[in-house]
mmCIF file of all heavy atoms in Angstrom:
data_model
loop_
_atom_site.group_PDB
_atom_site.id
_atom_site.type_symbol
_atom_site.label_atom_id
_atom_site.label_comp_id
_atom_site.label_asym_id
_atom_site.label_seq_id
_atom_site.Cartn_x
_atom_site.Cartn_y
_atom_site.Cartn_z
ATOM 1 N N VAL A 1 -17.411 103.766 -22.372
ATOM 2 C CA VAL A 1 -16.462 102.679 -22.640
ATOM 3 C C VAL A 1 -16.711 101.521 -21.674
ATOM 4 O O VAL A 1 -16.719 100.362 -22.077
ATOM 5 C CB VAL A 1 -14.998 103.167 -22.558
ATOM 6 C CG1 VAL A 1 -14.026 102.005 -22.670
ATOM 7 C CG2 VAL A 1 -14.712 104.186 -23.648
ATOM 8 N N GLU A 2 -16.944 101.834 -20.387
ATOM 9 C CA GLU A 2 -17.221 100.772 -19.416
ATOM 10 C C GLU A 2 -18.475 99.989 -19.798
ATOM 11 O O GLU A 2 -18.509 98.768 -19.706
ATOM 12 C CB GLU A 2 -17.425 101.373 -18.019
ATOM 13 C CG GLU A 2 -16.176 101.933 -17.400
ATOM 14 C CD GLU A 2 -16.465 102.633 -16.074
ATOM 15 O OE1 GLU A 2 -17.635 102.961 -15.791
ATOM 16 O OE2 GLU A 2 -15.504 102.851 -15.333
ATOM 17 N N ILE A 3 -19.498 100.720 -20.231
ATOM 18 C CA ILE A 3 -20.752 100.070 -20.627
ATOM 19 C C ILE A 3 -20.527 99.202 -21.860
ATOM 20 O O ILE A 3 -21.004 98.070 -21.927
ATOM 21 C CB ILE A 3 -21.860 101.119 -20.862
ATOM 22 C CG1 ILE A 3 -22.218 101.779 -19.524
ATOM 23 C CG2 ILE A 3 -23.093 100.482 -21.497
ATOM 24 C CD1 ILE A 3 -23.104 103.000 -19.641
ATOM 25 N N GLU A 4 -19.770 99.707 -22.830
ATOM 26 C CA GLU A 4 -19.470 98.924 -24.033
ATOM 27 C C GLU A 4 -18.691 97.660 -23.680
ATOM 28 O O GLU A 4 -18.985 96.578 -24.203
ATOM 29 C CB GLU A 4 -18.674 99.765 -25.041
ATOM 30 C CG GLU A 4 -18.327 98.996 -26.297
ATOM 31 C CD GLU A 4 -17.491 99.796 -27.290
ATOM 32 O OE1 GLU A 4 -17.013 100.892 -26.951
ATOM 33 O OE2 GLU A 4 -17.311 99.294 -28.407
ATOM 34 N N LEU A 5 -17.710 97.782 -22.792
ATOM 35 C CA LEU A 5 -16.942 96.602 -22.381
ATOM 36 C C LEU A 5 -17.853 95.546 -21.781
ATOM 37 O O LEU A 5 -17.707 94.351 -22.067
ATOM 38 C CB LEU A 5 -15.851 96.983 -21.375
ATOM 39 C CG LEU A 5 -14.633 97.684 -21.932
ATOM 40 C CD1 LEU A 5 -13.705 98.129 -20.804
ATOM 41 C CD2 LEU A 5 -13.884 96.798 -22.903
ATOM 42 N N PHE A 6 -18.799 95.968 -20.950
ATOM 43 C CA PHE A 6 -19.704 95.008 -20.328
ATOM 44 C C PHE A 6 -20.676 94.416 -21.351
ATOM 45 O O PHE A 6 -20.792 93.200 -21.482
ATOM 46 C CB PHE A 6 -20.487 95.641 -19.171
ATOM 47 C CG PHE A 6 -21.511 94.718 -18.593
ATOM 48 C CD1 PHE A 6 -21.124 93.670 -17.778
ATOM 49 C CD2 PHE A 6 -22.851 94.863 -18.904
ATOM 50 C CE1 PHE A 6 -22.058 92.782 -17.271
ATOM 51 C CE2 PHE A 6 -23.801 93.985 -18.395
ATOM 52 C CZ PHE A 6 -23.402 92.946 -17.585
ATOM 53 N N GLU A 7 -21.378 95.280 -22.073
ATOM 54 C CA GLU A 7 -22.445 94.813 -22.956
ATOM 55 C C GLU A 7 -21.940 94.067 -24.183
ATOM 56 O O GLU A 7 -22.552 93.083 -24.600
ATOM 57 C CB GLU A 7 -23.302 95.996 -23.417
ATOM 58 C CG GLU A 7 -24.143 96.585 -22.317
ATOM 59 C CD GLU A 7 -25.067 97.677 -22.811
ATOM 60 O OE1 GLU A 7 -24.773 98.335 -23.829
ATOM 61 O OE2 GLU A 7 -26.097 97.878 -22.156
ATOM 62 N N LYS A 8 -20.862 94.519 -24.764
ATOM 63 C CA LYS A 8 -20.390 93.949 -26.030
ATOM 64 C C LYS A 8 -19.333 92.862 -25.844
ATOM 65 O O LYS A 8 -19.257 91.923 -26.630
ATOM 66 C CB LYS A 8 -19.812 95.085 -26.869
ATOM 67 C CG LYS A 8 -20.018 94.955 -28.332
ATOM 68 C CD LYS A 8 -19.585 96.250 -29.010
ATOM 69 C CE LYS A 8 -19.479 96.030 -30.489
ATOM 70 N NZ LYS A 8 -18.993 97.194 -31.190
ATOM 71 N N TYR A 9 -18.516 93.004 -24.793
ATOM 72 C CA TYR A 9 -17.349 92.125 -24.655
ATOM 73 C C TYR A 9 -17.345 91.275 -23.385
ATOM 74 O O TYR A 9 -16.399 90.522 -23.146
ATOM 75 C CB TYR A 9 -16.067 92.962 -24.704
ATOM 76 C CG TYR A 9 -15.929 93.732 -25.991
ATOM 77 C CD1 TYR A 9 -16.195 95.099 -26.046
ATOM 78 C CD2 TYR A 9 -15.562 93.090 -27.167
ATOM 79 C CE1 TYR A 9 -16.072 95.810 -27.225
ATOM 80 C CE2 TYR A 9 -15.442 93.793 -28.358
ATOM 81 C CZ TYR A 9 -15.702 95.144 -28.379
ATOM 82 O OH TYR A 9 -15.590 95.847 -29.564
ATOM 83 N N ASN A 10 -18.366 91.398 -22.542
ATOM 84 C CA ASN A 10 -18.423 90.635 -21.285
ATOM 85 C C ASN A 10 -17.168 90.851 -20.433
ATOM 86 O O ASN A 10 -16.562 89.898 -19.929
ATOM 87 C CB ASN A 10 -18.648 89.145 -21.537
ATOM 88 C CG ASN A 10 -19.996 88.864 -22.130
ATOM 89 O OD1 ASN A 10 -20.907 89.679 -22.045
ATOM 90 N ND2 ASN A 10 -20.141 87.718 -22.762
ATOM 91 N N LEU A 11 -16.809 92.121 -20.280
ATOM 92 C CA LEU A 11 -15.639 92.508 -19.488
ATOM 93 C C LEU A 11 -16.003 93.622 -18.515
ATOM 94 O O LEU A 11 -16.874 94.447 -18.798
ATOM 95 C CB LEU A 11 -14.525 93.060 -20.389
ATOM 96 C CG LEU A 11 -13.737 92.098 -21.255
ATOM 97 C CD1 LEU A 11 -12.855 92.885 -22.226
ATOM 98 C CD2 LEU A 11 -12.884 91.186 -20.397
ATOM 99 N N TYR A 12 -15.300 93.627 -17.398
ATOM 100 C CA TYR A 12 -15.313 94.779 -16.502
ATOM 101 C C TYR A 12 -13.858 95.042 -16.174
ATOM 102 O O TYR A 12 -13.109 94.115 -15.869
ATOM 103 C CB TYR A 12 -16.123 94.489 -15.232
ATOM 104 C CG TYR A 12 -15.987 95.586 -14.197
ATOM 105 C CD1 TYR A 12 -16.445 96.876 -14.453
ATOM 106 C CD2 TYR A 12 -15.376 95.342 -12.981
ATOM 107 C CE1 TYR A 12 -16.307 97.884 -13.526
ATOM 108 C CE2 TYR A 12 -15.238 96.349 -12.033
ATOM 109 C CZ TYR A 12 -15.697 97.619 -12.316
ATOM 110 O OH TYR A 12 -15.553 98.625 -11.388
ATOM 111 N N ARG A 13 -13.432 96.298 -16.258
ATOM 112 C CA ARG A 13 -12.044 96.635 -15.950
ATOM 113 C C ARG A 13 -12.013 97.800 -14.981
ATOM 114 O O ARG A 13 -12.916 98.613 -14.929
ATOM 115 C CB ARG A 13 -11.265 96.965 -17.210
ATOM 116 C CG ARG A 13 -11.837 98.140 -17.968
ATOM 117 C CD ARG A 13 -10.851 99.272 -18.074
ATOM 118 N NE ARG A 13 -11.453 100.312 -18.894
ATOM 119 C CZ ARG A 13 -11.683 101.533 -18.463
ATOM 120 N NH1 ARG A 13 -11.376 101.876 -17.267
ATOM 121 N NH2 ARG A 13 -12.231 102.430 -19.255
ATOM 122 N N ARG A 14 -10.966 97.811 -14.202
ATOM 123 C CA ARG A 14 -10.802 98.867 -13.201
ATOM 124 C C ARG A 14 -9.352 98.958 -12.782
ATOM 125 O O ARG A 14 -8.525 98.179 -13.258
ATOM 126 C CB ARG A 14 -11.700 98.600 -12.015
ATOM 127 C CG ARG A 14 -11.478 97.211 -11.450
ATOM 128 C CD ARG A 14 -12.013 96.967 -10.106
ATOM 129 N NE ARG A 14 -11.516 97.956 -9.203
ATOM 130 C CZ ARG A 14 -12.201 98.419 -8.175
ATOM 131 N NH1 ARG A 14 -13.384 97.963 -7.917
ATOM 132 N NH2 ARG A 14 -11.700 99.322 -7.375
ATOM 133 N N ASP A 15 -9.046 99.888 -11.890
ATOM 134 C CA ASP A 15 -7.687 99.976 -11.397
ATOM 135 C C ASP A 15 -7.328 98.682 -10.673
ATOM 136 O O ASP A 15 -8.209 97.892 -10.322
ATOM 137 C CB ASP A 15 -7.531 101.196 -10.491
ATOM 138 C CG ASP A 15 -8.525 101.206 -9.331
ATOM 139 O OD1 ASP A 15 -9.681 100.806 -9.539
ATOM 140 O OD2 ASP A 15 -8.133 101.606 -8.229
ATOM 141 N N LYS A 16 -6.051 98.476 -10.465
ATOM 142 C CA LYS A 16 -5.564 97.228 -9.868
ATOM 143 C C LYS A 16 -6.257 96.959 -8.537
ATOM 144 O O LYS A 16 -6.381 97.832 -7.687
ATOM 145 C CB LYS A 16 -4.055 97.328 -9.653
ATOM 146 C CG LYS A 16 -3.430 96.080 -9.121
ATOM 147 C CD LYS A 16 -1.929 96.246 -8.962
ATOM 148 C CE LYS A 16 -1.331 95.008 -8.349
ATOM 149 N NZ LYS A 16 0.120 95.154 -8.167
ATOM 150 N N THR A 17 -6.735 95.728 -8.385
ATOM 151 C CA THR A 17 -7.406 95.326 -7.154
ATOM 152 C C THR A 17 -7.106 93.855 -6.872
ATOM 153 O O THR A 17 -6.630 93.130 -7.743
ATOM 154 C CB THR A 17 -8.932 95.573 -7.259
ATOM 155 O OG1 THR A 17 -9.508 95.334 -5.985
ATOM 156 C CG2 THR A 17 -9.577 94.676 -8.265
ATOM 157 N N LEU A 18 -7.402 93.442 -5.666
ATOM 158 C CA LEU A 18 -7.217 92.043 -5.273
ATOM 159 C C LEU A 18 -8.579 91.406 -5.054
ATOM 160 O O LEU A 18 -9.562 92.084 -4.805
ATOM 161 C CB LEU A 18 -6.395 91.957 -3.984
ATOM 162 C CG LEU A 18 -4.987 92.557 -4.057
ATOM 163 C CD1 LEU A 18 -4.343 92.555 -2.674
ATOM 164 C CD2 LEU A 18 -4.134 91.808 -5.052
ATOM 165 N N GLY A 19 -8.637 90.113 -5.129
ATOM 166 C CA GLY A 19 -9.877 89.393 -4.868
ATOM 167 C C GLY A 19 -10.528 88.918 -6.146
ATOM 168 O O GLY A 19 -10.262 89.426 -7.227
ATOM 169 N N GLU A 20 -11.381 87.929 -5.978
ATOM 170 C CA GLU A 20 -12.081 87.359 -7.126
ATOM 171 C C GLU A 20 -13.507 87.013 -6.716
ATOM 172 O O GLU A 20 -13.763 85.963 -6.148
ATOM 173 C CB GLU A 20 -11.349 86.109 -7.621
ATOM 174 C CG GLU A 20 -11.889 85.602 -8.927
ATOM 175 C CD GLU A 20 -11.005 84.535 -9.550
ATOM 176 O OE1 GLU A 20 -9.790 84.566 -9.343
ATOM 177 O OE2 GLU A 20 -11.569 83.666 -10.239
ATOM 178 N N PRO A 21 -14.443 87.921 -7.018
ATOM 179 C CA PRO A 21 -15.833 87.636 -6.676
ATOM 180 C C PRO A 21 -16.390 86.528 -7.555
ATOM 181 O O PRO A 21 -15.839 86.225 -8.613
ATOM 182 C CB PRO A 21 -16.542 88.965 -6.960
ATOM 183 C CG PRO A 21 -15.705 89.587 -8.026
ATOM 184 C CD PRO A 21 -14.292 89.171 -7.732
ATOM 185 N N LEU A 22 -17.493 85.949 -7.128
ATOM 186 C CA LEU A 22 -18.131 84.899 -7.916
ATOM 187 C C LEU A 22 -18.982 85.484 -9.047
ATOM 188 O O LEU A 22 -19.100 84.885 -10.103
ATOM 189 C CB LEU A 22 -19.010 84.028 -7.012
ATOM 190 C CG LEU A 22 -18.274 83.276 -5.906
ATOM 191 C CD1 LEU A 22 -19.261 82.578 -4.997
ATOM 192 C CD2 LEU A 22 -17.288 82.294 -6.501
ATOM 193 N N TYR A 23 -19.586 86.657 -8.783
ATOM 194 C CA TYR A 23 -20.472 87.294 -9.755
ATOM 195 C C TYR A 23 -20.207 88.792 -9.811
ATOM 196 O O TYR A 23 -19.682 89.371 -8.855
ATOM 197 C CB TYR A 23 -21.949 87.052 -9.395
ATOM 198 C CG TYR A 23 -22.351 85.616 -9.564
ATOM 199 C CD1 TYR A 23 -22.183 84.698 -8.534
ATOM 200 C CD2 TYR A 23 -22.877 85.165 -10.774
ATOM 201 C CE1 TYR A 23 -22.523 83.369 -8.694
ATOM 202 C CE2 TYR A 23 -23.217 83.837 -10.941
ATOM 203 C CZ TYR A 23 -23.041 82.949 -9.904
ATOM 204 O OH TYR A 23 -23.377 81.628 -10.071
ATOM 205 N N PHE A 24 -20.624 89.393 -10.922
ATOM 206 C CA PHE A 24 -20.508 90.835 -11.109
ATOM 207 C C PHE A 24 -21.879 91.386 -11.498
ATOM 208 O O PHE A 24 -22.562 90.825 -12.354
ATOM 209 C CB PHE A 24 -19.499 91.155 -12.218
ATOM 210 C CG PHE A 24 -19.452 92.619 -12.574
ATOM 211 C CD1 PHE A 24 -18.939 93.546 -11.677
ATOM 212 C CD2 PHE A 24 -19.933 93.061 -13.791
ATOM 213 C CE1 PHE A 24 -18.910 94.895 -11.996
ATOM 214 C CE2 PHE A 24 -19.901 94.405 -14.114
ATOM 215 C CZ PHE A 24 -19.388 95.327 -13.223
ATOM 216 N N ALA A 25 -22.269 92.492 -10.850
ATOM 217 C CA ALA A 25 -23.545 93.143 -11.139
ATOM 218 C C ALA A 25 -23.296 94.629 -11.383
ATOM 219 O O ALA A 25 -22.995 95.361 -10.447
ATOM 220 C CB ALA A 25 -24.520 92.952 -9.982
ATOM 221 N N PRO A 26 -23.375 95.065 -12.634
ATOM 222 C CA PRO A 26 -23.174 96.488 -12.906
ATOM 223 C C PRO A 26 -24.408 97.294 -12.503
ATOM 224 O O PRO A 26 -25.539 96.860 -12.708
ATOM 225 C CB PRO A 26 -22.982 96.533 -14.420
ATOM 226 C CG PRO A 26 -23.760 95.372 -14.932
ATOM 227 C CD PRO A 26 -23.634 94.309 -13.864
ATOM 228 N N CYS A 27 -24.164 98.440 -11.904
ATOM 229 C CA CYS A 27 -25.246 99.357 -11.554
ATOM 230 C C CYS A 27 -25.131 100.553 -12.489
ATOM 231 O O CYS A 27 -24.198 101.352 -12.370
ATOM 232 C CB CYS A 27 -25.133 99.798 -10.097
ATOM 233 S SG CYS A 27 -26.514 100.839 -9.585
ATOM 234 N N PHE A 28 -26.031 100.640 -13.452
ATOM 235 C CA PHE A 28 -25.996 101.745 -14.404
ATOM 236 C C PHE A 28 -26.410 103.027 -13.687
ATOM 237 O O PHE A 28 -27.403 103.048 -12.960
ATOM 238 C CB PHE A 28 -26.898 101.471 -15.605
ATOM 239 C CG PHE A 28 -26.416 100.308 -16.426
ATOM 240 C CD1 PHE A 28 -27.121 99.123 -16.445
ATOM 241 C CD2 PHE A 28 -25.244 100.398 -17.169
ATOM 242 C CE1 PHE A 28 -26.675 98.043 -17.199
ATOM 243 C CE2 PHE A 28 -24.787 99.322 -17.921
ATOM 244 C CZ PHE A 28 -25.508 98.143 -17.941
ATOM 245 N N THR A 29 -25.629 104.070 -13.896
ATOM 246 C CA THR A 29 -25.874 105.343 -13.217
ATOM 247 C C THR A 29 -26.728 106.259 -14.078
ATOM 248 O O THR A 29 -26.960 105.990 -15.259
ATOM 249 C CB THR A 29 -24.539 106.050 -12.911
ATOM 250 O OG1 THR A 29 -23.905 106.405 -14.150
ATOM 251 C CG2 THR A 29 -23.606 105.161 -12.083
ATOM 252 N N ALA A 30 -27.144 107.357 -13.479
ATOM 253 C CA ALA A 30 -27.956 108.345 -14.196
ATOM 254 C C ALA A 30 -27.159 108.984 -15.334
ATOM 255 O O ALA A 30 -27.739 109.523 -16.270
ATOM 256 C CB ALA A 30 -28.455 109.410 -13.232
ATOM 257 N N ASP A 31 -25.816 108.914 -15.269
ATOM 258 C CA ASP A 31 -24.964 109.470 -16.332
ATOM 259 C C ASP A 31 -25.062 108.669 -17.622
ATOM 260 O O ASP A 31 -24.723 109.165 -18.687
ATOM 261 C CB ASP A 31 -23.489 109.480 -15.900
ATOM 262 C CG ASP A 31 -23.246 110.357 -14.689
ATOM 263 O OD1 ASP A 31 -24.072 111.253 -14.429
ATOM 264 O OD2 ASP A 31 -22.239 110.146 -14.011
ATOM 265 N N SER A 32 -25.491 107.431 -17.519
ATOM 266 C CA SER A 32 -25.575 106.574 -18.701
ATOM 267 C C SER A 32 -26.932 106.773 -19.378
ATOM 268 O O SER A 32 -27.837 107.374 -18.807
ATOM 269 C CB SER A 32 -25.395 105.103 -18.317
ATOM 270 O OG SER A 32 -26.541 104.622 -17.651
ATOM 271 N N ASP A 33 -27.041 106.222 -20.571
ATOM 272 C CA ASP A 33 -28.339 106.286 -21.259
ATOM 273 C C ASP A 33 -29.152 105.015 -20.999
ATOM 274 O O ASP A 33 -30.103 104.724 -21.697
ATOM 275 C CB ASP A 33 -28.144 106.516 -22.763
ATOM 276 C CG ASP A 33 -27.381 105.379 -23.430
ATOM 277 O OD1 ASP A 33 -26.867 104.489 -22.716
ATOM 278 O OD2 ASP A 33 -27.292 105.371 -24.668
ATOM 279 N N LYS A 34 -28.761 104.275 -19.977
ATOM 280 C CA LYS A 34 -29.429 103.021 -19.607
ATOM 281 C C LYS A 34 -30.422 103.262 -18.475
ATOM 282 O O LYS A 34 -30.366 104.276 -17.789
ATOM 283 C CB LYS A 34 -28.392 101.982 -19.139
ATOM 284 C CG LYS A 34 -27.288 101.722 -20.127
ATOM 285 C CD LYS A 34 -27.828 101.038 -21.332
ATOM 286 C CE LYS A 34 -26.744 100.821 -22.375
ATOM 287 N NZ LYS A 34 -27.287 100.403 -23.635
ATOM 288 N N THR A 35 -31.287 102.306 -18.248
ATOM 289 C CA THR A 35 -32.182 102.373 -17.102
ATOM 290 C C THR A 35 -31.339 102.292 -15.835
ATOM 291 O O THR A 35 -30.529 101.374 -15.684
ATOM 292 C CB THR A 35 -33.194 101.214 -17.140
ATOM 293 O OG1 THR A 35 -33.920 101.294 -18.367
ATOM 294 C CG2 THR A 35 -34.144 101.270 -15.967
ATOM 295 N N THR A 36 -31.522 103.237 -14.943
ATOM 296 C CA THR A 36 -30.731 103.300 -13.716
ATOM 297 C C THR A 36 -31.003 102.079 -12.843
ATOM 298 O O THR A 36 -32.142 101.653 -12.688
ATOM 299 C CB THR A 36 -31.071 104.585 -12.944
ATOM 300 O OG1 THR A 36 -30.840 105.702 -13.801
ATOM 301 C CG2 THR A 36 -30.216 104.736 -11.704
ATOM 302 N N GLY A 37 -29.926 101.527 -12.290
ATOM 303 C CA GLY A 37 -30.043 100.392 -11.381
ATOM 304 C C GLY A 37 -29.302 99.175 -11.894
ATOM 305 O O GLY A 37 -28.527 99.240 -12.844
ATOM 306 N N ILE A 38 -29.535 98.055 -11.251
ATOM 307 C CA ILE A 38 -28.880 96.790 -11.580
ATOM 308 C C ILE A 38 -29.855 95.950 -12.386
ATOM 309 O O ILE A 38 -30.885 95.527 -11.872
ATOM 310 C CB ILE A 38 -28.449 96.037 -10.311
ATOM 311 C CG1 ILE A 38 -27.460 96.875 -9.512
ATOM 312 C CG2 ILE A 38 -27.846 94.677 -10.659
ATOM 313 C CD1 ILE A 38 -27.195 96.341 -8.114
ATOM 314 N N SER A 39 -29.517 95.727 -13.637
ATOM 315 C CA SER A 39 -30.388 94.939 -14.519
ATOM 316 C C SER A 39 -29.774 93.615 -14.919
ATOM 317 O O SER A 39 -30.431 92.810 -15.567
ATOM 318 C CB SER A 39 -30.706 95.736 -15.789
ATOM 319 O OG SER A 39 -31.441 96.889 -15.470
ATOM 320 N N TYR A 40 -28.496 93.394 -14.577
ATOM 321 C CA TYR A 40 -27.782 92.198 -15.031
ATOM 322 C C TYR A 40 -26.967 91.581 -13.905
ATOM 323 O O TYR A 40 -26.534 92.258 -12.978
ATOM 324 C CB TYR A 40 -26.791 92.545 -16.149
ATOM 325 C CG TYR A 40 -27.430 93.111 -17.381
ATOM 326 C CD1 TYR A 40 -27.543 94.482 -17.567
ATOM 327 C CD2 TYR A 40 -27.915 92.273 -18.388
ATOM 328 C CE1 TYR A 40 -28.127 95.007 -18.711
ATOM 329 C CE2 TYR A 40 -28.495 92.787 -19.534
ATOM 330 C CZ TYR A 40 -28.593 94.153 -19.688
ATOM 331 O OH TYR A 40 -29.173 94.671 -20.820
ATOM 332 N N LEU A 41 -26.721 90.291 -14.047
ATOM 333 C CA LEU A 41 -25.817 89.558 -13.171
ATOM 334 C C LEU A 41 -25.009 88.616 -14.055
ATOM 335 O O LEU A 41 -25.578 87.872 -14.854
ATOM 336 C CB LEU A 41 -26.609 88.752 -12.128
ATOM 337 C CG LEU A 41 -25.786 87.946 -11.127
ATOM 338 C CD1 LEU A 41 -25.024 88.890 -10.193
ATOM 339 C CD2 LEU A 41 -26.685 87.017 -10.324
ATOM 340 N N SER A 42 -23.679 88.675 -13.911
ATOM 341 C CA SER A 42 -22.790 87.826 -14.711
ATOM 342 C C SER A 42 -21.872 87.021 -13.809
ATOM 343 O O SER A 42 -21.342 87.564 -12.829
ATOM 344 C CB SER A 42 -21.889 88.674 -15.616
ATOM 345 O OG SER A 42 -22.618 89.307 -16.603
ATOM 346 N N LYS A 43 -21.678 85.779 -14.144
ATOM 347 C CA LYS A 43 -20.697 84.947 -13.437
ATOM 348 C C LYS A 43 -19.309 85.430 -13.835
ATOM 349 O O LYS A 43 -19.049 85.714 -15.003
ATOM 350 C CB LYS A 43 -20.870 83.484 -13.830
ATOM 351 C CG LYS A 43 -19.937 82.534 -13.102
ATOM 352 C CD LYS A 43 -20.329 81.100 -13.404
ATOM 353 C CE LYS A 43 -19.408 80.079 -12.832
ATOM 354 N NZ LYS A 43 -18.952 80.224 -11.504
ATOM 355 N N VAL A 44 -18.429 85.572 -12.858
ATOM 356 C CA VAL A 44 -17.039 85.942 -13.130
ATOM 357 C C VAL A 44 -16.291 84.648 -13.438
ATOM 358 O O VAL A 44 -16.159 83.778 -12.581
ATOM 359 C CB VAL A 44 -16.393 86.672 -11.929
ATOM 360 C CG1 VAL A 44 -14.915 86.934 -12.190
ATOM 361 C CG2 VAL A 44 -17.135 87.968 -11.619
ATOM 362 N N LEU A 45 -15.834 84.511 -14.675
ATOM 363 C CA LEU A 45 -15.122 83.297 -15.083
ATOM 364 C C LEU A 45 -13.643 83.369 -14.743
ATOM 365 O O LEU A 45 -12.983 82.334 -14.609
ATOM 366 C CB LEU A 45 -15.321 83.051 -16.579
ATOM 367 C CG LEU A 45 -16.770 82.829 -17.010
ATOM 368 C CD1 LEU A 45 -16.863 82.661 -18.521
ATOM 369 C CD2 LEU A 45 -17.368 81.627 -16.298
#
């Protein structure tokens, strides 16, 4: 679901947190069917 939110909807969601980074970089884990590591960088709008 997290991967779908990122890839299809340009979203990242998590438990309540504070702060607003300038960019977001997902690190795909070995649990996913993606290439492990950071392959993307997105500006946080």
Side-chain angles (χ1 to χ4, degrees):
V1 173
E2 290 175 343
I3 293 169
E4 179 182 10
L5 285 174
F6 175 75
E7 290 185 334
K8 214 171 167 184
Y9 301 103
N10 294 341
L11 287 171
Y12 172 64
R13 60 119 176 120
R14 54 164 306 147
D15 56 322
K16 183 179 177 181
T17 188
L18 300 173
E20 189 169 330
L22 298 174
Y23 292 87
F24 173 69
C27 184
F28 295 110
T29 65
D31 298 338
S32 73
D33 62 352
K34 305 292 177 191
T35 302
T36 303
I38 299 168
S39 296
Y40 299 94
L41 181 68
S42 292
K43 183 171 175 44
V44 175
L45 299 177

